[in-house]
Amino acid sequence: MARPTPLSGFPEWLPDGRVVEQHVLDTLRRTFELHGFAGIETRAVEPLDQLLRKGETSKEVYVLRRLQDEAGAEGVADRSEKQLGLHFDLTVPFARYVLENAGRLAFPFKRYQIQKVWRGERPQDGRFREFVQADIDVVGAGELPYHYEVELPLVMAEALGALRDVGVPEVRILVNNRKVAEGFYRGLGLEDVEGVLRQVDKLDKVGPESVAELLQAEQGATPEQAKACLELAAIAGEDVGVVERVRALAASYGAGTELLETGLGELAALIEAAARRAPGVVVADLKIARGLDYYTGSVYETVLVGHEQLGSICSGGRYDTLASDGKNTYPGVGLSIGVSRLVSRLLSAGLVAATRGVPTAVLVAVSDEEHRSQSDAVATALRARGIPADVAPTAAKFGKQIKFADRRGIPFVWFPAGPGAEGEPVADALAGQVKDIRSGEQVDAHAGSWAPPAEDVHPRVVPAAAG
């Protein structure tokens, strides 16, 4: 077989990287469950018409079809089945899941979901075509209290904060409220609110001058209106002083509206709660727009401090109409972490390390093939007590077996007791000696009672400097 050509955008971590990814996933899952979120999983495919409801996503959806479509009598491919696409996020599948199971769910329904998603975009640093997302959402039936818009970013701050001790940088959760933006734009006389939001969402990519030009060319804004939009986007801060600055700006342009005041009240409540529970983590940033058209209230983006050029690793917001069957509406609020994006930065920047890439804590040496069953018995006894153990693949010289363990980061090597006098079977097959190959210390041990230190039982993730 010829050497395969790598596919860009489809990350495959080495064992050490997988240990890091699994630690991140376990930490997120544990935190979500502490806050009452129930885990679910949805199918990988959705009807194409449903996937395309989320806004400007048609270029990103991978369509699913058989290599050879069935043909009818006239040789025309059968199109009776719905066209399917791989889901590019977990929010649209979750909305469908809620509608299909509404009669069996208790509302408000809190769920977390950790799955792979697929997105047809150009691969680059931190952006993949296949990646893992971890979502939390709360959905209500008919209504959803505003306090959930405060709770969710704080849960996410706690989850990411729980990773700080292994070397994950600080995070900043940037928040805004779509009611603020919509109220301000309408107060200015700009009616294409979704269009304005899409342009403002490009600020970090193209800069304010280009956004001003786009607002005038595509949304029909005057230079004065474009200037006002950019001034609003420039407002940021960690306290409720942000609200007064927006009010002052709106007054200067005569852009005050009732919707604007409603949004500012909600934004103030979020900032005040965050200042009490996670000071310095949640920051109001009026340029956060989230260009997707279904957000209706709070919107969030999250950056790693010192790695802002990576972009948002976690985003989301409030949505009121995404899950609706025409009679009933299930408003929700959610956040999604791009786990693969986060892990890729942790690994590429050398921020974290795994203590080893294999689960094995003890390699049981083999004295000779005739006595391999004794080594197997030792490994079995260790595993029965929850200690990951493996048996050496060959009965090589002990020095080579130690090197085998060392190359894999296995900290301990077990040497079974040898045969008794005149080749008699050993009295206790589970007895022997165990060596810590890091320190060289070797002691008598018994597989029914000996255990490695707790920190060596399983691979751990640590700051890279301690790896």
Side-chain angles (χ1 to χ4, degrees):
M1 179 180 177
R3 185 180 181 87
T5 302
L7 283 176
S8 61
F10 296 86
E12 295 179 324
W13 313 125
L14 293 173
D16 287 31
R18 175 59 177 161
V19 170
V20 172
E21 181 186 49
Q22 196 61 53
H23 178 77
V24 171
L25 293 174
D26 289 344
T27 301
L28 297 176
R29 183 183 297 109
R30 187 163 53 246
T31 306
F32 298 159
E33 290 180 351
L34 282 173
H35 287 267
F37 290 83
I40 69 165
E41 183 170 313
T42 58
R43 64 199 185 206
V45 298
E46 297 291 336
L48 198 56
D49 58 348
Q50 294 298 309
L51 291 174
L52 300 182
R53 290 177 56 209
K54 195 180 174 181
E56 298 181 343
T57 57
S58 59
K59 294 181 180 179
E60 298 183 357
V61 176
Y62 281 111
V63 175
L64 190 72
R65 67 176 180 83
R66 285 174 290 182
L67 184 61
Q68 295 182 348
D69 284 339
E70 294 288 341
E74 291 80 21
V76 179
D78 181 9
R79 300 297 182 187
S80 60
E81 294 185 2
K82 286 187 176 181
Q83 278 193 291
L84 302 176
L86 292 171
H87 59 220
F88 59 86
D89 78 345
L90 300 178
T91 305
V92 171
F94 177 54
R96 187 265 310 158
Y97 177 93
V98 169
L99 290 174
E100 288 186 3
N101 295 284
R104 293 174 287 179
L105 297 175
F107 294 98
F109 177 51
K110 301 173 73 172
R111 84 83 165 87
Y112 75 86
Q113 189 172 346
I114 300 175
Q115 284 184 240
K116 284 190 174 182
V117 300
W118 295 266
R119 192 167 294 178
E121 60 182 357
R122 184 172 64 86
Q124 51 187 300
D125 183 26
R127 288 190 176 273
F128 303 106
R129 293 171 174 171
E130 177 185 72
F131 54 98
V132 176
Q133 269 192 201
D135 284 24
I136 53 173
D137 285 77
V138 181
V139 170
E143 60 180 10
L144 184 71
Y146 173 75
H147 66 79
Y148 287 114
E149 295 180 52
V150 178
E151 176 184 340
L152 260 70
L154 296 179
V155 171
M156 199 61 81
E158 181 179 325
L160 293 169
L163 294 166
R164 291 291 313 284
D165 61 346
V166 300
V168 175
E170 289 184 70
V171 298
R172 292 286 181 273
I173 299 180
L174 312 177
V175 303
N176 194 4
N177 192 296
R178 289 288 283 263
K179 295 174 185 175
V180 173
E182 182 175 351
F184 184 81
Y185 299 153
R186 292 195 184 282
L188 289 174
L190 295 171
E191 295 302 320
D192 183 9
V193 173
E194 300 301 335
V196 175
L197 286 167
R198 282 195 297 272
Q199 306 303 354
V200 172
D201 201 33
K202 300 173 184 176
L203 262 172
D204 288 338
K205 295 180 181 178
V206 303
E209 290 185 5
S210 294
V211 169
E213 292 173 0
L214 288 168
L215 287 171
Q216 294 174 64
E218 298 188 19
Q219 273 64 52
T222 66
E224 183 81 354
Q225 290 171 326
K227 178 173 176 287
C229 292
L230 293 175
E231 288 180 9
L232 177 68
I235 295 176
E238 297 179 14
D239 56 44
V240 292
V242 166
V243 171
E244 294 308 317
R245 290 165 60 190
V246 174
R247 284 198 179 106
L249 179 67
S252 70
Y253 283 98
T257 63
E258 184 177 343
L259 183 60
L260 172 65
E261 280 301 316
T262 300
L264 288 174
E266 293 180 354
L267 183 61
L270 173 54
I271 296 170
E272 289 173 343
R276 291 192 301 270
R277 293 171 56 182
V281 175
V282 176
V283 178
D285 189 334
L286 276 297
K287 76 172 180 295
I288 302 303
R290 303 298 302 146
L292 300 171
D293 58 12
Y294 66 85
Y295 290 119
T296 56
S298 298
V299 287
Y300 321 99
E301 290 190 355
T302 306
V303 296
L304 292 175
V305 176
H307 302 265
E308 289 82 0
Q309 75 281 5
L310 183 65
S312 179
I313 62 163
C314 173
S315 58
R318 168 80 180 229
Y319 49 90
D320 283 321
T321 59
L322 187 63
S324 176
D325 59 9
K327 293 182 179 179
N328 303 295
T329 299
Y330 302 91
V333 57
L335 276 155
S336 302
I337 296 183
V339 175
S340 299
R341 174 179 286 205
L342 173 60
V343 170
S344 73
R345 177 48 57 102
L346 298 180
L347 297 175
S348 64
L351 298 173
V352 303
T355 54
R356 61 182 186 266
V358 297
T360 309
V362 184
L363 179 74
V364 183
V366 178
S367 55
D368 55 60
E369 291 301 331
E370 184 180 350
H371 293 88
R372 176 174 287 276
S373 61
Q374 182 182 344
S375 299
D376 289 337
V378 170
T380 298
L382 292 171
R383 294 170 190 145
R385 297 173 45 239
I387 301 169
D390 201 356
V391 179
T394 62
K397 291 181 178 180
F398 282 161
K400 288 187 176 180
Q401 296 186 56
I402 291 172
K403 287 182 180 179
F404 178 90
D406 187 43
R407 283 196 299 269
R408 288 155 180 77
I410 301 171
F412 295 95
V413 175
W414 185 286
F415 303 104
E422 300 180 359
E424 294 179 1
V426 64
D428 188 347
L430 300 184
Q433 291 191 326
V434 65
K435 180 172 185 168
D436 184 334
I437 64 174
R438 300 162 298 184
S439 66
E441 181 183 6
Q442 185 166 323
V443 297
D444 292 334
H446 191 279
S449 57
W450 176 86
E455 63 269 20
D456 288 327
V457 175
H458 300 289
R460 292 178 296 115
V461 175
V462 295

